[in-house]
Amino acid sequence: MEKKSPASGNKFAERVGFELLRCAPKKILSSLFLITFLIIGFLSLAFTFNLTGEQKVSKDEHVRKAAVAGGFYPGDKATLEEYVDALLRQADPPVISEPIRAIMVPHAGYIYSGPIAAYAYKELEGRDFKTVVLISNSHTDWFDGISVYKEGSFETPLGLVEIDKELTQKLLSADPKILERPGAHEREHALEVQLPFLQRVLKNFKIVPIVFGSDSPELTQILAEALKKNMSDKSLIVASTDMSHYPPYEDATAADHETLQAINTGQAKALDAMLKQLAAEGVPNAQTFLCGVSAVRTVLLLAQTLGPTTPILLKYENSGDSPAGDKRRVVGYGAVAFVAKQNTTPPAPPPDAEEKTSSADENGMTSEEKEELLKIARSTVEGYVQTGKIPEFSPTSTALKQPLGAFVTLKESGQLRGCIGRFDPSGPLYLIVQQMAISAASQDPRFSPVSPDELGKLEYEISVLSPLRKIATADEIELGKHGVQVSKDSHHGVFLPQVATETGWDKTRFLSELCTQKAGLAADCWKDPSVNLQVFTADVFSEEKKQR
């Protein structure tokens, strides 16, 4: 919405004054001149202060005008308010009660990505953020550095959003690579499209607009270091990024879920490795898999320094899911919340819960909770194989939200069909199980991906893992109780505890097979002092065998 200047706002008063002068007798001209002057002066003040005492930003101050209003999103206030509010009403994200440190949101036209972005912004309703740091990679200006919009305001049809000048000054003084380059923001849409959502869900907040002129781990490290000294519980980071650009629908869906799994590890190096791997795979028509990679990497680096966070996938779709989209050439959109990890020690149970507590295992999980976890694994695989989408769950159990590693094993007619796991507890247990279930069904290099006609034949087994513990020699291994991981340089291999029981191997055979089959090392690698030998325990449970 273009803001009128005081001069243009007074044209009506100027015309009234002219008509009076033209028709009036000479003896009252001086009085009319005075009256007209006073009217013009009053209206000038009225437009400057909006008749309410609220001072408008003068033309001398920095106002970054809306560049994509009427294109990426509605250009008039009433329509935009109605549109954004409707998107927020339709979004149905999981309930997150813990503090949110950052969100990842898409930045395409609202008709395509708005419904996905709404999942993240709905999580912000009722929260009190004073500063929102908006970050993306530039789509319009390429330079070696990071541009911070220093002062003034950004304008949308919903009004002005003030810049947090105090924070921008601190960032600009932190490193020479962080610089003031207003031109990098003039036509950039990636940050602007976030503002109407923020204006509808937050109150009394300021922004810090930041765009990367190029991508490099060094630049993101610079920004992360500068930000971590100036963030508080009232600060939010918005990483603005779309995902895969222009592959066919199925290829985009598969690639984007790989990227989301890498983001869910919470590790910037894992994200970079995955993007490099996807680029090497030659996905048809793919130009990029994460256009705001610097923003997401910055969030992951900050999460490692400001305290542990859990990435939670809120929603994924791509432009092919939009009624206006074309499945032959799509752009992917993901909404992720980065949630502060809380103390996972479960509260003391009420007296009438003694029976349930007595049946819980060392991880605090009851048989009912294990059954729920198995259902999550099955539903995830079936949903992913049939539709390419990951079902969303919001378990209420504290035990299922613990940060624990897990393996998911698939069997068909009693034979192994896939097994993938992760020791790193980088998120809630139920999300780790979802990710490992998908990996076991589609990414185990020993097998082809599970097909839809196999789904009814699969049996599911979950192993909830203890942390790895380094041991000095194999003498400390207890077969049937301990799982074992061997690793040296880039070679590593894992056997779960149940492998020894199921095969009947003695310790020598167990370790030799682990070295050769899983790690690609010599059969007696476990005797080598330079090989890292670690053990863990696992709580293993599976579905009851049923005729399906």
Side-chain angles (χ1 to χ4, degrees), residues 35 46 71 77 98 125 136 172 203 304 324 338 353 415 423 439 457 475 490 494 497 521:
I35 292 170
K77 180 179 180 180
E98 296 84 1
E125 291 181 330
S136 191
L172 287 167
K203 298 179 180 179
Q304 296 171 22
F338 296 82
Q415 300 299 311
F423 288 95
S439 296
K457 306 173 185 178
D475 293 339
S490 61
V494 177
L521 296 169

Side-chain angles (χ1 to χ4, degrees), residues 203-223:
K203 298 179 180 179
N204 303 319
F205 69 97
K206 298 179 181 180
I207 59 172
V208 176
I210 301 172
V211 292
F212 282 81
S214 57
D215 174 55
S216 73
E218 291 76 20
L219 284 177
T220 48
Q221 186 66 54
I222 287 171
L223 182 60

Side-chain angles (χ1 to χ4, degrees), residues 146-150 168 172 178-181 185 208-210:
I146 307 160
S147 174
V148 175
Y149 201 91
K150 180 180 177 181
T168 61
L172 287 167
I178 303 177
L179 46 90
E180 182 184 7
R181 189 182 174 97
H185 296 266
V208 176
I210 301 172

Side-chain angles (χ1 to χ4, degrees), residues 397-454:
S397 164
T398 301
L400 300 191
K401 296 180 180 179
Q402 297 180 87
L404 293 171
F407 271 71
V408 174
T409 302
L410 307 181
K411 295 183 179 180
E412 185 175 332
S413 302
Q415 300 299 311
L416 182 65
R417 185 61 181 83
C419 181
I420 299 287
R422 179 189 299 162
F423 288 95
D424 175 33
S426 59
L429 175 59
Y430 79 94
L431 286 180
I432 297 295
V433 165
Q434 279 198 283
Q435 295 161 15
M436 296 306 101
I438 292 172
S439 296
S442 61
Q443 299 170 20
D444 190 325
R446 298 168 293 180
F447 304 96
S448 60
V450 168
S451 62
D453 60 0
E454 293 180 272

Side-chain angles (χ1 to χ4, degrees), residues 260 305 315 478:
L260 288 167
T305 57
K315 188 69 173 178
E478 297 182 41

